[in-house]
Amino acid sequence: MASFIWENKFNSGIESMDAQRKRIFECMTMIYRDIADFGNKCDSINGLLDQLEILCQIHYLDEEQLMDDLKYPLAADHKLQHDLFLATLDQFKVDNKQCHTVSTLNDFIKLRETFITHMLNDTMVLSEFIKQSPLYSSANTSH
Ligand SMILES: [Fe+2]
């Protein structure tokens, strides 16, 4: 069984962003458990996938706003990763007709791995940039 536990290495140090990612992670865990129970019907998983999509869209929009505000030099590539992930999630929703199967479960594990790879690479680079920005430091010490 794939590990769905939040690990310390996923924390970027930007609390609001980590909180969003944890919610996405929890939602993915619910979806994984739902698919893994092959006796389930597909009704509930469709709602959960919609929820996952909304959580990701909100998180990505917040991150992209921050990138624009701080004039992040790698923003274009980072946004492309977001778009690709959302497109993959959309495709997963389309292909989800026979959702409680081993192949759907494997596809979902791949989707989750893509999200984690993004967290461990692009997100960490962005987080370091944000933490070094004077705009971010002043925003976090002003209250
Ligand atoms: Fe991102």
Side-chain angles (χ1 to χ4, degrees), residues 32-91:
Y32 174 82
R33 288 189 180 142
D34 193 298
I35 301 172
D37 188 345
F38 294 154
N40 280 342
K41 293 208 167 91
C42 298
D43 311 11
S44 60
I45 199 176
N46 289 338
L48 286 171
L49 285 168
D50 288 343
Q51 195 181 326
L52 177 62
E53 188 170 34
I54 291 167
L55 288 172
C56 289
Q57 283 168 340
I58 292 170
H59 173 56
Y60 290 161
L61 279 175
D62 284 353
E63 229 181 45
E64 288 170 15
Q65 182 65 55
L66 206 50
M67 286 193 267
D68 287 346
D69 290 349
L70 300 177
K71 302 194 180 351
Y72 181 53
L74 304 174
D77 184 58
H78 196 123
K79 288 176 187 177
L80 180 65
Q81 302 300 318
H82 291 172
D83 292 344
L84 288 173
F85 184 81
L86 289 174
T88 308
L89 179 54
D90 261 345
Q91 193 56 47

